[in-house]
Amino acid sequence: MAGGATFSDAKPTPILKDELDIVIPTIRNLDFLEMWRPYFEPYHLIIVQDGDPSRTVRVPDGFDYELFNRNDINRILGPKASCISFKDSACRCFGYLVSKKKYIFTIDDDCFVAKDPSGKEINALEQHVKNLLNPSTPLFFNTLYDPYREGADFVRGYPFSLREGVPTAVSHGLWLNIPDYDAPTQLAKPLERNTRFVDAVLTIPKGTLFPMCGMNLAFNRQLIGPAMYFGLMGDGQPIGRYDDMWAGWCMKVICDHLGYGVKTGLPYIWHSKASNPFVNLKKEYNGIFWQEELIPFFQSAVLTKECTTVQKCYLELSKQVKAKLGKIDPYFLKLADAMVTWVEAWDELNGSGENSSNLTNDPEK
């Protein structure tokens, strides 16, 4: 992108228009797209309808989209559809499976266009693309944050041998207004709102985990797609609201092993409404206890040198989940099996090549 381009043009030049899909999970009409029209209209949307497949979801005119409901998921995946969650936003990862693009941006339907401190609208998609197209620096922390941003660079003492960085696999964006809190924190701080706009992008260091939020997220599907499985959540499962975090923990272990980077920070979106903390507590209850054992598991997970592709890494991780986390609860035995099914479904739809993804543009339907 040419230097001097702004992130807040009303009609930005669409970047990677033919190489990026926008994935949106929903149970409602997508009126929120009107606010995003200047930014999303040039792109192809994959809408994953959760819940009752007989319900009609209205999409505003003028958008190029495909809509998949549960009947479509069952038809396309057959028995392997069991790995896709029902009545939970984790169903979004079906969109990752059927996409044929190199990049994915996923956003929740209660996320609106935010404004920076000067009052200009933030083109979240453009910033995500900028994050993904520039390298990451997971091996050595740069105190001026992202050295590849305009107006920044590597500081004195940064090793020259590491300045090329590594490919960026994931761009994790943040939110103004309603923060992404767990239920106990929501209950303790019901009126808290995030008003702090921090103009920074950081690479998450190698060996460091983080709680990934799926509501404003982009990734290089070619590099890391098979690791972006959002698990078994929602209907019939003993846990919810850990789908994106599970994906984030698995993804980060694999990125660290394969030498890819993960960025967090800009862009911000405006998270418009808080979910019910009492409903959330019921969904999170087991996870709040389990995470105290899940985190050490991922922190100590080691992948062998034979794990040279994302799929091989993910299958190895699934074995470790079964062997070590299955002792916590039988749910993790089921989840480990679903991880294998997910990789099988990925390879079935995308091929099992070295980097896993078919990068051709969407076929004519």
Side-chain angles (χ1 to χ4, degrees):
M1 184 162 42
T6 64
F7 299 146
S8 53
D9 296 337
K11 292 185 178 179
T13 303
I15 305 169
L16 302 179
K17 183 177 83 72
D18 298 320
E19 296 183 73
L20 184 145
D21 278 333
I22 300 173
V23 174
I24 305 168
T26 194
I27 57 171
R28 58 179 67 87
N29 293 334
L30 294 179
D31 300 324
F32 92 114
L33 285 173
E34 288 294 353
M35 178 178 284
W36 288 103
R37 186 179 291 277
Y39 311 106
F40 289 2
E41 198 169 29
Y43 295 89
H44 179 68
L45 311 183
I46 297 177
I47 298 162
V48 184
Q49 178 182 342
D50 197 16
D52 182 2
S54 66
R55 186 179 183 277
T56 300
V57 168
R58 192 185 72 80
V59 181
D61 293 338
F63 287 93
D64 169 31
Y65 71 93
E66 296 170 276
L67 189 149
F68 298 92
N69 61 31
R70 193 70 203 188
N71 293 338
D72 299 314
I73 294 171
N74 291 337
R75 172 177 54 82
I76 292 168
L77 293 184
K80 293 184 177 67
S82 62
C83 74
I84 304 298
S85 298
F86 183 58
K87 294 187 178 178
D88 193 279
S89 65
C91 68
R92 78 176 78 223
C93 62
F94 176 78
Y96 312 160
L97 271 182
V98 296
S99 172
K100 300 301 176 189
K101 303 290 179 66
K102 183 175 181 180
Y103 299 98
I104 295 287
F105 170 51
T106 185
I107 187 170
D108 284 4
D109 60 13
D110 61 350
C111 294
F112 300 157
V113 179
K115 293 183 178 180
D116 67 19
S118 72
K120 291 181 180 178
E121 288 191 349
I122 297 167
N123 183 351
L125 181 51
E126 185 174 52
Q127 178 65 49
H128 274 302
V129 168
K130 198 170 180 68
N131 291 348
L132 290 170
L133 293 184
N134 284 302
S136 294
T137 54
L139 301 178
F140 201 88
F141 189 80
N142 190 54
T143 52
L144 269 185
Y145 309 122
D146 190 341
Y148 306 103
R149 288 188 73 197
E150 190 173 341
D153 211 322
F154 293 97
V155 298
R156 181 172 55 89
Y158 200 100
F160 284 88
S161 59
L162 297 177
R163 294 191 182 195
E164 285 188 8
V166 303
T168 301
V170 174
S171 171
H172 177 255
L174 299 175
W175 356 265
L176 294 171
N177 195 37
I178 305 294
D180 186 29
Y181 286 162
D182 54 35
T185 309
Q186 277 185 295
L187 289 165
K189 298 180 172 182
L191 301 180
E192 185 154 290
R193 300 293 180 264
N194 183 34
T195 59
R196 296 175 66 239
F197 178 94
V198 180
D199 185 14
V201 178
L202 289 76
T203 294
I204 299 173
K206 182 177 181 179
T208 299
L209 297 175
F210 74 110
M212 187 172 81
C213 172
M215 75 172 84
N216 173 25
L217 181 71
F219 61 93
N220 184 323
R221 186 177 174 278
Q222 177 186 11
L223 284 184
I224 202 64
M228 298 298 282
Y229 175 48
F230 277 45
L232 287 178
M233 303 282 153
D235 196 51
Q237 308 302 336
I239 186 174
R241 284 172 56 83
Y242 274 81
D243 53 328
D244 42 10
M245 291 184 287
W246 178 264
W249 296 328
C250 293
M251 171 276 297
K252 188 59 166 61
V253 168
I254 293 172
C255 280
D256 286 351
H257 176 75
L258 294 177
Y260 302 146
V262 179
K263 293 182 177 180
T264 187
L266 300 180
Y268 283 89
I269 49 83
W270 180 269
H271 188 204
S272 65
K273 71 178 196 296
S275 48
N276 185 313
F278 296 101
V279 173
N280 290 347
L281 187 59
K282 288 178 68 176
K283 294 178 179 179
E284 295 172 359
Y285 180 80
N286 283 323
I288 289 170
F289 289 97
W290 289 346
Q291 71 183 14
E292 301 304 321
E293 296 186 65
L294 299 184
I295 302 301
F297 163 77
F298 283 106
Q299 287 174 327
S300 61
V302 176
L303 300 174
T304 65
K305 63 177 190 239
E306 287 75 34
C307 296
T308 54
T309 67
V310 175
Q311 284 100 322
K312 288 177 181 177
C313 290
Y314 204 71
L315 291 174
E316 172 59 28
L317 209 49
S318 75
K319 293 176 186 175
Q320 295 183 26
V321 167
K322 179 168 280 192
K324 297 181 180 179
L325 299 183
K327 302 168 187 174
I328 298 174
D329 191 272
Y331 164 74
F332 290 101
L333 302 176
K334 188 177 178 183
L335 178 55
D337 289 340
M339 293 169 71
V340 175
T341 303
W342 162 265
V343 170
E344 292 172 350
W346 185 280
D347 287 347
E348 195 173 291
L349 293 180
N350 299 283
S352 55
E354 193 70 15
N355 285 322
S356 77
S357 290
N358 175 353
L359 301 181
T360 57
N361 291 339
D362 283 353
E364 292 294 325
K365 299 256 178 205

